[in-house]
């Protein structure tokens, strides 16, 4: 029986057709960066304090400076062990009292009762207009919604092409609704709708491109596809610098998703997925069109085409935890998905609370993501998967710990170490994707990746809560937590088997058999046993 991989040998494993589709889909990765971490700019929170109209009038009448009026408006509070002027409380003073003078030195308000902000906030900042400055209630009383906004993302994935198109349609509609949201409740609702499609479309593109290329190209196109997300990371601060209104920035981020709807005429459905759905006629037609565009001729009997990698309909969650080794793999991979999301998103969002030049900091931290892709491509077939994967997590964890204890006076050294942490966690994030596929049997592989990657979404929800809540106690405390999570992830990866040069398992018995362990041992460096099989070819 002819398999789809057999047909690809003749139709072209990475011909003109696949290159065209790959180029189109890589464009999808770039705007996702704006959705995933654009909160750094759209939710920018400048230095602020309670507004008191009576104090503003006195400031104008008495010639007070902004610092004087702020000192007379808000009390000092303990923040991270340091006394700072409050952002959410003000002195309860009747400024119309005849006993008050313009001499600020005579006014001692330290024992004056305080109250919550009554008239909104004043800002010592001219620049970005974010939804935080526009929807003032997000600053104190409803700050919980600020934490929720960047994490309302849910996977919607059924099929490949149709899922991709439906996701982009939803992205376009919901993205524009976010841009015109009148208040924080509607903003939260529309942002949640936005999340239904964004990740689903990105994942659909990832799966589609890896399913239509030859086996030896899958990891390369997968890594490069993710690298275009890093291109989006670089473009985001440039866009945010010139587009200072968060609503217009939202429109610019959303427009590409509307353009992507034109892909209906330019990309095909995945033949592998069609075969798994018993839609052989459509699969054959698409495969013949691919061969024609690649200027290749098919000689094999394409009518007998089937997909050996189609998932069994009997696969269930219980298969992922059926045996001790399967449970171990599921736990470790799920934890690594979770940690990668927490540390990656946490380090990016941290740039928004440091008080430096967020544009330059964001740009520098984005640049370090590119070496991650090249390090993966260079090491995984020479060294293997386990060591680079574990090392990436450990480097990320060590960098977080070291950064936390470097004094702010050593700014550039602190920046360099933090960037190394970004490099490490980016590499770990990209590696967990394909390592996940190599550690599950064929019939349960897709289910295993879907279940484990769900922890990525949980990590995205946890990250902002950890960052904002713990930073109030100590600004560097989130780094200690991130470092601990990454260290543990690296240690757990070392408990996984090496998969370089080892055929992909077909059954759960393959996972547990001593023969499989022996194959792994024999294929380690310094052994004489070699193989011509790439894991992805089985």
């Amino acid at each position: 029986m002819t398999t789809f991989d057999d047909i690809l040998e003749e139709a072209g494993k990475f011909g003109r057709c696949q290159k065209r589709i790959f180029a189109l889909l890589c464009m999808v990765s770039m705007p996702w960066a704006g959705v995933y971490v654009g909160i750094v700019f759209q939710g920018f929170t400048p230095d602020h304090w309670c507004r008191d109209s009576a104090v503003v009038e006195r400031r104008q009448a008495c010639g007070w400076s902004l610092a004087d009026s702020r000192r007379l408006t808000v009390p000092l509070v303990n923040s991270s062990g340091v006394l700072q002027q409050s952002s959410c409380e003000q002195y309860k003073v009747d400024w119309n009292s005849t006993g008050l003078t313009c001499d600020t030195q005579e006014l001692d308000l330290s024992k004056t009762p305080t109250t919550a902000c009554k008239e909104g906030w004043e800002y010592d900042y001219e620049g970005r207009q974010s939804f935080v400055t526009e929807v003032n209630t997000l600053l104190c009383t409803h700050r919980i919604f600020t934490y929720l906004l960047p994490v309302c993302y849910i996977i919607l994935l059924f099929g490949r092409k149709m899922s991709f198109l439906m996701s982009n349609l939803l992205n376009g509609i919901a993205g524009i609704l976010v841009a015109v949201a009148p208040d924080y409740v509607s903003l939260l609702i529309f942002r949640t709708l936005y999340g239904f499609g964004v990740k689903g479309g990105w994942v659909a593109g990832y799966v589609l491109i890896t399913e239509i290329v030859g086996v030896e190209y899958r990891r390369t196109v997968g890594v490069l596809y993710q690298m275009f997300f890093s291109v989006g990371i670089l473009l985001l601060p440039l866009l945010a610098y010139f587009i200072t209104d968060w609503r217009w920035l939202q429109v610019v981020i959303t427009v590409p998703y509307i353009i992507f709807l034109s892909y209906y005429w330019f990309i095909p459905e995945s033949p592998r997925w069609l075969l798994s759905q018993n839609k052989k006629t459509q699969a054959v037609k698409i495969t013949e069109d691919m061969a024609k565009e690649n200027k290749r001729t098919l000689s094999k009997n394409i009518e007998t085409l089937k997909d050996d990698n189609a998932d069994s309909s009997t696969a269930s969650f219980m298969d992922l935890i059926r045996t001790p080794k399967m449970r171990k793999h599921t736990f470790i991979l799920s934890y690594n998905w979770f940690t990668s999301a927490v540390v990656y998103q946490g380090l990016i969002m941290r740039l928004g609370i440091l008080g430096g030049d967020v544009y330059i900091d964001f740009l520098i931290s984005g640049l370090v993501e590119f070496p991650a892709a090249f390090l993966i491509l260079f090491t995984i077939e020479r060294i293997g998967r386990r060591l680079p994967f574990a090392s990436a997590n450990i480097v990320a964890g060590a960098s977080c710990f070291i950064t936390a204890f470097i004094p702010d006076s050593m700014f550039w050294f602190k920046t360099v170490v933090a960037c190394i942490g970004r490099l490490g966690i980016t590499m770990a994030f990209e590696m967990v994707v394909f390592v996940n596929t190599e550690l599950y049997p064929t019939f349960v592989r897709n289910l295993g990746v879907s279940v484990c990657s769900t922890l990525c979404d949980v990590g995205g929800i946890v990250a902002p809560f950890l960052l904002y809540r713990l930073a109030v106690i100590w600004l560097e405390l989130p780094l200690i937590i991130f470092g601990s999570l990454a260290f543990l992830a690296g240690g757990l990866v070392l408990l996984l088997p090496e998969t370089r040069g080892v055929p992909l398992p077909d059954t759960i018995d393959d996972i547990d058999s001593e023969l499989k362990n022996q194959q792994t041992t024999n294929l380690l460096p310094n052994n004489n046993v070699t193989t011509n099989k790439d894991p992805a070819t089985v």
Side-chain angles (χ1 to χ4, degrees):
M1 187 74 74
T2 304
T3 68
F4 186 73
D5 286 328
D6 294 332
I7 296 297
L8 273 182
E9 290 285 339
E10 292 187 343
K13 292 182 287 187
F14 193 54
R16 178 180 176 180
C17 178
Q18 288 98 327
K19 290 175 182 176
R20 174 181 61 81
I21 297 169
F22 176 60
L24 289 172
L25 290 177
C26 281
M27 297 300 102
V28 179
S29 271
M30 292 193 288
W32 190 42
V35 180
Y36 193 60
V37 293
I39 190 75
V40 172
F41 300 103
Q42 292 178 300
F44 177 76
T45 305
D47 192 19
H48 58 281
W49 63 92
C50 296
R51 173 183 172 81
D52 189 323
S53 56
V55 174
V56 173
E57 292 176 6
R58 285 266 179 162
R59 180 171 71 214
Q60 296 171 348
C62 298
W64 291 343
S65 67
L66 198 62
D68 286 335
S69 64
R70 181 177 183 178
R71 180 177 62 82
L72 296 171
T73 303
V74 301
L76 294 176
V77 294
N78 191 316
S79 177
S80 301
V82 179
L83 285 177
Q84 296 180 348
Q85 290 176 315
S86 173
S87 298
C88 298
E89 294 181 341
Q90 66 183 79
Y91 288 123
K92 196 173 182 179
V93 177
D94 180 8
W95 288 100
N96 295 318
S97 171
T98 56
L100 296 176
T101 69
C102 286
D103 187 354
T104 61
Q105 301 303 318
E106 295 181 359
L107 298 175
D108 181 9
L109 303 175
S110 59
K111 298 181 180 180
T112 305
T114 61
T115 184
C117 297
K118 299 295 185 181
E119 303 178 41
W121 285 262
E122 286 193 90
Y123 302 97
D124 186 13
Y125 179 79
E126 292 182 4
R128 297 207 59 78
Q129 182 180 352
S130 71
F131 56 70
V132 172
T133 61
E134 185 175 318
V135 187
N136 281 332
T137 52
L138 289 175
L139 287 170
C140 294
T141 56
H142 294 92
R143 186 169 291 179
I144 185 68
F145 290 101
T146 307
Y147 304 153
L148 291 175
L149 285 169
V151 299
C152 297
Y153 297 107
I154 305 171
I155 300 177
L156 180 64
L157 182 59
F158 50 95
R160 308 299 189 247
K161 181 177 178 178
M162 188 54 64
S163 175
F164 175 82
L165 294 172
M166 289 179 62
S167 294
N168 283 288
L169 177 61
L170 183 58
N171 294 344
I173 295 173
I176 297 300
L177 289 175
V178 169
V180 298
D183 52 56
Y184 72 85
V185 174
S186 58
L187 180 62
L188 182 63
I189 293 172
F190 295 150
R191 185 82 176 182
T192 302
L193 291 175
Y194 202 22
F196 273 103
V198 172
K199 189 175 179 182
W202 185 87
V203 172
Y206 181 92
V207 173
L208 175 59
I209 190 58
T210 56
E211 287 185 342
I212 64 173
V213 301
V215 290
E216 62 266 45
Y217 293 99
R218 289 177 192 161
R219 277 188 293 273
T220 301
V221 298
V223 171
L224 293 178
Y225 179 82
Q226 294 180 75
M227 193 172 73
F228 272 82
F229 177 86
S230 301
V231 175
I233 291 287
L234 291 183
L235 292 177
L236 182 58
L238 298 177
L239 288 174
Y241 181 80
F242 291 105
I243 306 173
T244 56
D245 189 313
W246 75 272
R247 294 184 184 274
W248 282 110
L249 181 59
Q250 175 66 32
V251 170
V252 171
I253 292 171
T254 301
V255 165
Y257 290 109
I258 299 174
I259 296 174
F260 293 151
L261 292 175
S262 65
Y263 282 18
Y264 175 84
W265 292 279
F266 301 113
I267 64 173
E269 180 56 270
S270 166
R272 292 185 189 275
W273 182 79
L274 289 170
L275 288 171
S276 72
Q277 302 299 306
N278 295 317
K279 298 178 180 180
K280 183 179 292 187
T281 302
Q282 296 178 47
V284 169
K285 175 65 169 60
I286 290 172
T287 306
E288 289 175 337
D289 290 342
M290 289 172 57
K292 183 178 179 180
E293 185 174 347
N294 290 338
K295 298 182 178 180
R296 305 289 288 270
T297 302
L298 298 178
S299 63
K300 296 183 183 294
N301 185 5
I302 195 171
E303 297 301 327
T304 63
L305 185 65
K306 74 179 187 70
D307 182 20
D308 280 346
N309 293 321
D311 285 349
S312 168
S313 60
T314 61
S316 69
F317 174 76
M318 292 306 298
D319 292 315
L320 304 181
I321 57 175
R322 189 177 303 281
T323 68
K325 287 188 178 179
M326 287 291 287
R327 285 195 294 272
K328 181 180 74 172
H329 294 178
T330 299
F331 170 76
I332 294 176
L333 290 168
S334 297
Y335 179 78
N336 270 268
W337 275 104
F338 171 80
T339 297
S340 295
V342 169
V343 180
Y344 182 87
Q345 189 167 334
L347 289 180
I348 290 181
M349 294 182 68
R350 182 174 176 271
L351 297 174
I353 66 173
L354 292 181
D357 189 326
V358 67
Y359 303 101
I360 298 299
D361 293 345
F362 201 96
L363 189 65
I364 291 174
S365 93
L367 284 171
V368 303
E369 293 202 2
F370 290 91
F374 294 112
L375 281 172
I376 292 172
L377 294 174
F378 180 78
T379 59
I380 58 175
E381 295 303 336
R382 293 173 174 82
I383 301 175
R385 280 73 158 144
R386 184 172 56 182
L387 229 87
F389 191 8
S391 299
N393 276 295
I394 292 171
V395 166
S399 298
C400 288
F401 277 121
I402 296 171
T403 302
F405 294 102
I406 297 176
D408 292 336
S409 58
M410 302 175 68
F411 171 75
W412 284 109
F413 179 54
K414 189 166 188 169
T415 299
V416 169
V417 176
C419 286
I420 293 174
R422 275 290 305 280
L423 171 66
I425 201 60
T426 299
M427 187 172 174
F429 213 154
E430 294 182 0
M431 289 198 71
V432 71
V433 180
F434 63 83
V435 169
N436 203 155
T437 66
E438 295 180 341
L439 286 174
Y440 282 122
T442 300
F443 83 99
V444 78
R445 187 168 297 127
N446 284 354
L447 176 64
V449 174
S450 298
V451 170
C452 293
S453 65
T454 300
L455 271 293
C456 172
D457 300 295
V458 177
I461 294 172
V462 170
F465 281 92
L466 285 177
L467 179 68
Y468 292 118
R469 289 296 188 186
L470 297 181
V472 173
I473 302 172
W474 176 36
L475 185 61
E476 309 295 1
L477 183 56
L479 288 179
I480 303 299
I481 303 301
F482 296 158
S484 301
L485 291 172
F487 262 128
L488 180 56
L492 290 173
V493 167
L494 294 174
L495 300 178
L496 294 173
E498 176 58 66
T499 56
R500 179 177 69 96
V502 178
L504 290 175
D506 292 315
T507 66
I508 292 178
D509 289 339
D510 289 339
I511 296 290
D512 292 328
S513 68
E514 291 300 322
L515 177 60
K516 182 66 68 175
N517 293 336
Q518 186 61 44
Q519 283 179 319
T520 302
T521 304
N522 290 341
L523 290 169
L524 289 174
N526 301 324
N527 284 282
N528 296 323
V529 179
T530 59
T531 181
N532 293 323
K533 286 188 176 182
D534 188 301
T537 66
V538 179

